[in-house]
Amino acid sequence: MRFLENFLLTDRNTLKLPSRARFFAAPETRDELHSLLNTVTARNLPVMVLGGGSNVVFAGDFQGLVLQPAMRGIRCIGETAGHYLVEAEAGEPWPDFVQYCLARNWYGLENLSLIPGTVGAAPIQNIGAYGVEITDRLHSLTALELATGRVREFSHADCRFGYRESVFKQDLRDRYIIARVRFLLQKKPVLKTAYADIQQELAVRGIDAPTPQQVATAVIAIRTRKLPSPAVLANAGSFFKNPVVSVAVLDEIKSRFPDVIAYPQADGAKLAAGWLIEKAGWKGRSIGPVGAYEKQALVLVNHGGATGADVIAVASAIQQAVTSMFGVQLEMEPRIYGI
Ligand code: FAD
Ligand code: NAP
């Protein structure tokens, strides 16, 4: 398998940040991936795995191999009374995978419609939207150890999922490439429509007993309205996680801001990070080419020509503004590379 050299990554990340990889390869088959990892081991090269580049910030060049899985394929490999077991290769675009499943009446992914990126990246941060996360649907996955090429099967429990978290962001960070993922999808749909935006969208459309396809259509319509398409305005989605705070912290904030948006959690309350950023005066505000999006302050956008350092400077300014107003530390969601 051929390595491309000094490869420009600007079109491979949705923030459109200029960065170069010393080597780049996009294996299209399992065999290509295996032989590539053998070469990597032999040459002792550092490896970065890249999916669709929709959750990364490139703040410098990468002096190793950027490996972008391009294996494709979706298949139903088993079933129980209530579920289909569906396997997809890492290089499948996530939004296409969701549509493929819906078209075959394999249910459960409708709330995750239109999330950019790849199937292989979906478990990394346990992608979630509108009350559904990958942890609710994932059965198991197959990954290869980058250092040895050895294949390892991960059960659901092995993935150690949390809120926008998994073992692949913690103890096993940068250790594995996810090659394929298996999902348990419902034969009879169990729909989740509690989020206010979904309820409103269905109401506007006059739908009170929605089908899974109608929920997906509603989600796509909401997201298209609210979020900038990376094809039009460069961004990496939500730039910060919603912070979970204790009841005492929530009460203190509530005493000063009675309209704070908070959702109860087992260990306190989840605050809407977008609301905190907006209150701190950052909605629609920019420094140079980077700003907080005018319709959703949680999304940082590159209006053109930004570097990774520009993005990090705005993110840091927002973190400081939120900390000084609310005493809450926002954690960045995308992975920062190159610093
Ligand atoms: P990348 O950005 O390429 O990579 C992200 C991380 O995963 C990197 O650390 C990379 O090394 C690692 N990685 C990627 N592929 C693999 C692999 N095969 N094996 C091992 N490691 C791998 N996220 C949500 O959770 N919910 C949303 O609703 C949502 N909405 C978004 C909306 C927009 C407009 C945008 C731009 C982003 C949104 N995101 C959302 C964030 C992003 O789409 C997801 O995190 C997505 O899963 C990232 O996929 P990717 O293929 O682009 O990964
Ligand atoms: P929203 O609906 O305006 O809600 C704001 C925040 O409040 C959300 O982040 C959500 O948390 C939380 N929330 C709203 N209703 C809730 C409920 N009934 N129960 C529990 N929590 C609730 O959010 P949005 O920005 O338009 O995004 C819609 C969905 O898409 C959210 O789930 C969001 O996570 C997801 N999304 C994620 C990204 C990303 O890059 N990570 C980008 C765009 C959208 P949760 O985030 O925990 O759901």
Side-chain angles (χ1 to χ4, degrees), residues 6 22 46-47 52 54 56 78 111 164 216 246 285 315:
N6 197 26
R22 182 161 167 229
V47 178
S54 63
V56 291
N111 294 39
R164 303 291 186 265
S246 66
R285 186 170 154 197

Side-chain angles (χ1 to χ4, degrees), residues 72-330:
R72 302 288 295 265
I74 303 169
R75 57 200 83 83
C76 179
I77 57 171
E79 62 183 290
T80 63
H83 292 90
Y84 296 108
L85 182 61
V86 176
E87 182 177 71
E89 301 287 325
E92 283 293 337
W94 178 264
D96 298 3
F97 172 60
V98 173
Q99 283 302 314
Y100 184 98
C101 294
L102 269 173
R104 279 153 190 80
N105 303 331
W106 305 340
Y107 303 125
L109 299 176
E110 41 288 333
N111 294 39
L112 305 177
S113 296
L114 214 63
I115 298 180
T118 52
V119 164
I124 301 291
Q125 74 153 3
N126 179 22
I127 58 168
Y130 303 100
V132 175
E133 298 174 315
I134 277 288
T135 184
D136 303 324
R137 307 287 177 256
L138 183 136
H139 173 273
S140 56
L141 61 83
T142 303
L144 277 68
E145 193 176 29
L146 291 171
T148 62
R150 260 200 299 270
V151 176
R152 177 169 163 191
E153 301 297 333
F154 286 79
S155 68
H156 182 283
D158 293 335
C159 296
R160 304 222 303 265
F161 289 121
Y163 181 57
R164 303 291 186 265
E165 277 298 344
S166 75
V167 72
F168 303 104
K169 283 180 79 175
Q170 299 293 336
D171 296 0
L172 298 185
R173 179 172 150 138
D174 295 334
R175 293 264 309 276
Y176 284 89
I177 178 167
I178 295 173
R180 47 197 172 275
V181 186
R182 288 170 290 278
F183 300 87
L184 268 182
L185 300 182
Q186 303 145 0
K187 292 185 172 176
K188 284 211 177 110
V190 182
L191 298 177
K192 289 214 166 183
T193 56
Y195 272 47
D197 275 1
I198 295 193
Q199 299 216 325
Q200 278 159 23
E201 187 67 27
L202 293 173
V204 165
R205 289 163 184 256
I207 301 167
D208 39 53
T211 63
Q213 187 59 58
Q214 285 171 324
V215 172
T217 304
V219 167
I220 290 169
I222 299 162
R223 294 182 72 102
T224 305
R225 251 193 336 260
K226 249 182 144 173
L227 292 168
S229 160
V232 178
L233 184 55
N235 74 91
S238 304
F239 206 86
F240 302 97
K241 291 187 192 179
N242 291 319
V244 175
V245 299
S246 66
V247 173
V249 169
L250 174 64
D251 287 346
E252 190 283 320
I253 294 173
K254 238 186 206 162
S255 69
R256 293 185 291 130
F257 301 94
D259 57 336
V260 62
I261 300 180
Y263 298 90
Q265 302 283 291
D267 48 350
K270 179 181 69 181
L271 305 181
W275 183 91
L276 299 173
I277 297 167
E278 187 176 341
K279 279 282 169 185
W282 268 92
K283 193 175 187 180
R285 186 170 154 197
S286 296
I287 302 179
V290 178
Y293 186 51
E294 63 200 10
K295 291 191 208 164
Q296 165 53 294
L298 192 48
V299 177
L300 298 194
V301 295
N302 170 8
H303 292 287
T307 63
D310 296 326
V311 175
I312 291 163
V314 170
S316 304
I318 289 175
Q319 282 174 320
Q320 279 169 26
V322 167
T323 302
S324 78
M325 184 172 267
F326 298 102
V328 171
Q329 181 67 33
L330 290 182

